[in-house]
Amino acid sequence: MTTALAQTVPAHPVRSGWLTQTAQITERWLINVRRQVWGAAFSLVQPVVWILLFGQVFSSLGKLPGFAGTDYVTFLVPGVLMMTVLYSGAWAGTGYIDDMKSGVMDQLLTAPVARTAIITGQLVQQLIICLAQSIVVLLIGWLGGATYPGGVGGMALALLAALLLATIFCSLSTAAALTARNQVALIGISQIVVLPVTFLSTTMMPASLMPDWVQNVSKYNPMTWAVDLARNTLAGTTDTAALWHVGGLVLLAVLAYVWSVRALRGYQRSL
């Protein structure tokens, strides 16, 4: 994989505008995805299991008062949607570690390419994958019996929430990779973050049915913000809390992106 990636980076790239540089970096990463499309496709196995198996086995949960008459599969789909982009985002940094080992990163850092273009190009590639995965998850949910009263507009807003969450965790994974510079360390960090973020949220259960301390933690969990936002928009309902959720996700996405750029600059200074 790293050899293929290295071949896409010219030894002396021509100086160009930021948008052109970003597009070139994105294309470079997309070439690798096309060569190993099975990786992105395999990540959709988990949503199938969660929606079609877990959702059906625990379908009786939808009869509990906390679900407000919503069937469990419909309730679960927004959670699975965010889980999919969360897990994909958590592994985004592995590509940078491969680049470090192969020497591609050294080529990029000595080339006349903006550091923000290096980060943004790979982030755009990750968001393209997450968008495709998210659309498939919504389709799987619909095939599994989920309903989306919010229509196309609701689905579009749910996808936007998924992309904001993906931006946060892709950027965090990038920053962690450029700081730790080790695959094993990145895997450990990802596991430590992903599981608590998932289960200390409203991904699988309404807040009203969770223990008090979990409810309190979930209020400040960006996973909860994204899940609740998607759940409301897919149901065709919105409230003032949705605006706060969007604002919080945007703020965290910006902060995580800035951290990833700073991590790249820190890596360059250490060479």
Side-chain angles (χ1 to χ4, degrees):
M1 179 180 69
T2 53
T3 301
L5 288 174
Q7 292 174 349
T8 64
V9 181
H12 302 285
V14 178
R15 185 179 297 274
S16 56
W18 185 86
L19 289 177
T20 301
Q21 293 174 1
T22 301
Q24 290 172 342
I25 297 295
T26 300
E27 182 182 8
R28 173 208 168 208
W29 287 102
L30 288 174
I31 289 173
N32 186 58
V33 172
R34 289 197 295 268
R35 289 172 176 167
Q36 301 190 40
V37 69
W38 57 267
F42 187 75
S43 65
L44 292 171
V45 173
Q46 191 175 50
V48 171
V49 172
W50 279 108
I51 294 173
L52 301 184
L53 223 102
F54 187 88
Q56 294 298 327
V57 170
F58 292 92
S59 60
S60 59
L61 290 176
K63 299 177 182 178
L64 295 175
F67 288 90
T70 303
D71 68 273
Y72 189 61
V73 172
T74 298
F75 178 87
L76 183 64
V77 167
V80 175
L81 172 63
M82 299 309 163
M83 285 172 57
T84 302
V85 299
L86 170 64
Y87 295 155
S88 292
W91 296 105
T94 58
Y96 287 101
I97 293 178
D98 289 337
D99 277 1
M100 294 176 204
K101 292 180 179 179
S102 66
V104 175
M105 183 65 77
D106 294 339
Q107 291 184 16
L108 285 172
L109 293 177
T110 56
V113 179
R115 303 303 172 245
T116 53
I118 295 175
I119 296 295
T120 306
Q122 197 254 13
L123 176 60
V124 170
Q125 174 256 350
Q126 291 290 333
L127 294 182
I128 290 173
I129 293 175
C130 286
L131 178 61
Q133 291 174 331
S134 298
I135 293 172
V136 173
V137 168
L138 291 178
L139 177 60
I140 293 171
W142 178 72
L143 293 174
T147 57
Y148 309 131
V152 175
M155 288 187 282
L157 291 173
L159 292 174
L160 175 61
L163 291 180
L164 287 173
L165 188 70
T167 300
I168 294 170
F169 285 97
C170 285
S171 298
L172 291 177
S173 179
T174 294
L178 292 169
T179 302
R181 308 174 192 181
N182 182 277
Q183 191 85 304
V184 175
L186 179 61
I187 292 173
I189 294 171
S190 298
Q191 292 299 320
I192 290 173
V193 172
V194 164
L195 293 179
V197 166
T198 300
F199 290 102
L200 295 177
S201 70
T202 56
T203 298
M204 302 177 192
M205 195 69 60
S208 60
L209 298 181
M210 297 190 296
D212 291 341
W213 72 271
V214 178
Q215 290 186 41
N216 293 330
V217 172
S218 69
K219 292 178 183 177
Y220 306 99
N221 187 343
M223 183 74 163
T224 294
W225 303 346
V227 170
D228 287 352
L229 181 59
R231 195 165 279 147
N232 289 334
T233 57
L234 288 173
T237 60
T238 55
D239 51 28
T240 54
L243 296 177
W244 289 104
H245 291 163
V246 171
L249 290 170
V250 170
L251 177 61
L252 288 179
V254 171
L255 292 176
Y257 174 81
V258 170
W259 185 23
S260 65
V261 174
R262 291 176 63 88
L264 178 60
R265 297 187 189 280
Y267 172 82
Q268 183 177 14
R269 287 193 298 270
S270 69
L271 296 179

